[in-house]
Amino acid sequence: MTQAKPIEIIRYYYNTQEQNNNDRKAYVAIGKHEEIGSSSDNERRPLLLSTSRPSTTLNNNNNSNRNVPSEMMGLFLMALCALAFASMTLFVKLSGASFPLFEIVFARSLIQTVLGLVSCLFAGIHPFGNRPVRPWLVFRGVIGGFALALNFFSVIHLSLVDTTAIMYLSPIITAILAALVLGESFYLLEGLCAAFCLTGALIVLKPEFLFELLLPLLTAPSHTDDKEQRGLAIFAAIGGAVLTAVVYCTIRKAGAKGPVHFLVHIVYLGAMGALISIPPLLTLQPFIRPKSWIEYGMLGMTGISAFIGQCLLSKGIQMAPAGPASFIRVGDIILAGVFDIFIFHEYPDCLSILGSIIIVGATTVLASRKWEAANEARRRR
């Protein structure tokens, strides 16, 4: 499991492969327009949709095709998804007080692998995917495992609000990587959103060379006095966001080889995460056996809550519009703030709140614009 991931990018990640020859909706990254067609056609489409033309309002015929009850159910599932991922970060932070980092990664990955394999068995899905896609899935799993470890390190040593806000940078980083590596379009809107996200990240991180005079007035005391450890945690959070963006671009390449069910991605991420956590757990960090059922429960819930969140996300993004669904995912940061205050007694300062609002706002604006552009593309057809 990777940490909680933003809807406009993850929309592509959790594209299900349910076969319905009469009416199949292919959902693609960042609000790409829906289209009746094969999944292989969907995989070849770019991650980013051009926003150079202004969007217009749908006509009555398109509005009449909307399934409002289904969309509302999708938004409800997205809200539950936000709760599941926020709960996962909570259990990771609680476990970090008793267990070493890679033991948490191993427990989470192992549980995810088992649940993914069982789900594939019941769904009649080959857990290893098609042969041409497997090398990309292995690479995706390895990168995702390292991203998981970095994100968990930041969750343990930073406040939940700061960590969750930094993780929201992954959609913008993905857009930049898609333009540089995959040769896809990068327009003014993406550039503006990237600039706002960078500004929000600087405000959340509060580097002393920029905020030397304001820090004593606007920030609360840090939950750790170890500035070096906080610095490492900040770099870990940024590194996790970058590797998460690499994962999304890898999924794009894997999709070009053939359709991949989201449960297959879950299996590979869990298996590779478990494997890469074993060497450091045996050499760098001692294995600590849980002393009570509560500690067993905390470790277990890191994997269970993440798996539930991924399943809810995969279904919710099929049913909910991209723009409103992205706004619903803001619940991740709200819940992180609630957990910080009432469980860890850590109060977000003004800069953390302001930076989080800027990051989430820029991400939501981008998703909403892509959603409107997708509606316009459907209307023109």
Side-chain angles (χ1 to χ4, degrees):
M1 163 197 90
T2 55
Q3 299 300 318
K5 312 300 177 205
I7 178 63
E8 59 274 12
I9 297 293
I10 303 180
R11 172 172 293 274
Y12 176 82
Y13 174 84
Y14 289 99
N15 176 28
T16 60
Q17 308 301 325
E18 298 176 357
Q19 299 296 327
N20 185 334
N21 294 326
N22 294 325
D23 183 16
R24 185 177 181 186
K25 294 181 179 179
Y27 291 85
V28 294
I30 318 183
K32 176 71 179 175
H33 61 272
E34 296 174 74
E35 162 178 287
I36 304 303
S38 66
S39 178
S40 59
D41 291 338
N42 175 40
E43 300 287 3
R44 288 192 291 267
R45 299 189 183 280
L47 282 170
L48 298 178
L49 176 67
S50 170
T51 56
S52 58
R53 296 181 181 179
S55 61
T56 57
T57 306
L58 287 175
N59 57 23
N60 293 333
N61 292 334
N62 283 318
N63 286 330
S64 63
N65 291 331
R66 292 181 57 193
N67 189 338
V68 176
S70 177
E71 291 182 359
M72 295 301 295
M73 177 57 68
L75 293 176
F76 176 70
L77 293 179
M78 294 304 301
L80 293 180
C81 166
L83 175 60
F85 282 128
S87 299
M88 185 272 298
T89 58
L90 170 63
F91 288 117
V92 168
K93 194 171 184 67
L94 290 172
S95 300
S98 304
F99 302 101
L101 168 66
F102 284 100
E103 184 171 348
I104 302 173
V105 174
F106 178 79
R108 188 261 196 213
S109 301
L110 180 62
I111 292 172
Q112 173 174 315
T113 304
V114 172
L115 292 177
L117 289 172
V118 172
S119 299
C120 286
L121 177 63
F122 278 96
I125 299 168
H126 196 300
F128 302 120
N130 297 326
R131 188 178 299 273
V133 187
R134 291 174 187 173
W136 287 105
L137 291 175
V138 171
F139 179 75
R140 175 259 183 274
V142 171
I143 298 299
F146 283 115
L148 192 68
L150 291 174
N151 287 334
F152 279 11
F153 183 84
S154 64
V155 167
I156 294 171
H157 297 290
L158 294 175
S159 69
L160 294 180
V161 169
D162 288 356
T163 303
T164 306
I166 296 172
M167 290 177 185
Y168 262 79
L169 295 175
S170 59
I172 297 299
I173 299 174
T174 302
I176 297 173
L177 285 179
L180 295 176
V181 178
L182 302 179
E184 297 181 359
S185 302
F186 192 84
Y187 291 93
L188 178 61
L189 177 63
E190 285 84 2
L192 291 176
C193 289
F196 276 104
C197 282
L198 177 60
T199 301
L202 289 175
I203 294 175
V204 170
L205 299 178
K206 300 178 281 289
E208 292 188 6
F209 68 92
L210 291 179
F211 295 90
E212 184 175 358
L213 298 178
L214 294 178
L215 282 175
L217 300 176
L218 298 179
T219 63
S222 175
H223 68 286
T224 176
D225 294 328
D226 191 347
K227 293 183 179 180
E228 182 178 354
Q229 187 179 67
R230 174 176 170 80
L232 289 174
I234 289 173
F235 279 111
I238 297 174
V242 172
L243 290 183
T244 299
V246 174
V247 165
Y248 294 140
C249 291
T250 303
I251 292 171
R252 172 72 175 91
K253 295 294 292 185
K257 303 293 183 179
V260 182
H261 196 278
F262 81 94
L263 287 174
V264 177
H265 284 290
I266 290 177
V267 170
Y268 274 89
L269 174 59
M272 294 300 105
L275 289 176
I276 67 174
S277 63
I278 292 177
L281 187 58
L282 295 178
T283 58
L284 301 177
Q285 297 179 332
F287 177 83
I288 299 178
R289 184 175 180 178
K291 299 181 178 62
S292 64
W293 287 107
I294 295 178
E295 292 185 345
Y296 276 110
M298 288 190 305
L299 285 176
M301 287 305 297
T302 60
I304 294 174
S305 58
F307 180 80
I308 293 174
Q310 289 164 340
C311 292
L312 290 171
L313 185 60
S314 68
K315 189 63 177 177
I317 61 175
Q318 294 181 47
M319 305 167 67
S326 179
F327 184 75
I328 290 292
R329 286 300 308 277
V330 176
D332 289 4
I333 293 183
I334 296 176
L335 289 172
V338 172
F339 292 152
D340 271 340
I341 294 173
F342 292 101
I343 297 180
F344 301 106
H345 306 292
E346 298 176 355
Y347 295 87
D349 54 57
C350 297
L351 292 179
S352 291
I353 296 174
L354 176 61
S356 299
I357 292 174
I358 293 175
I359 293 174
V360 174
T363 303
T364 303
V365 166
L366 180 59
S368 300
R369 181 65 180 272
K370 298 296 183 180
W371 179 44
E372 293 176 0
N375 289 337
E376 179 188 2
R378 287 202 308 272
R379 181 188 62 80
R380 288 200 300 264
R381 291 199 309 274

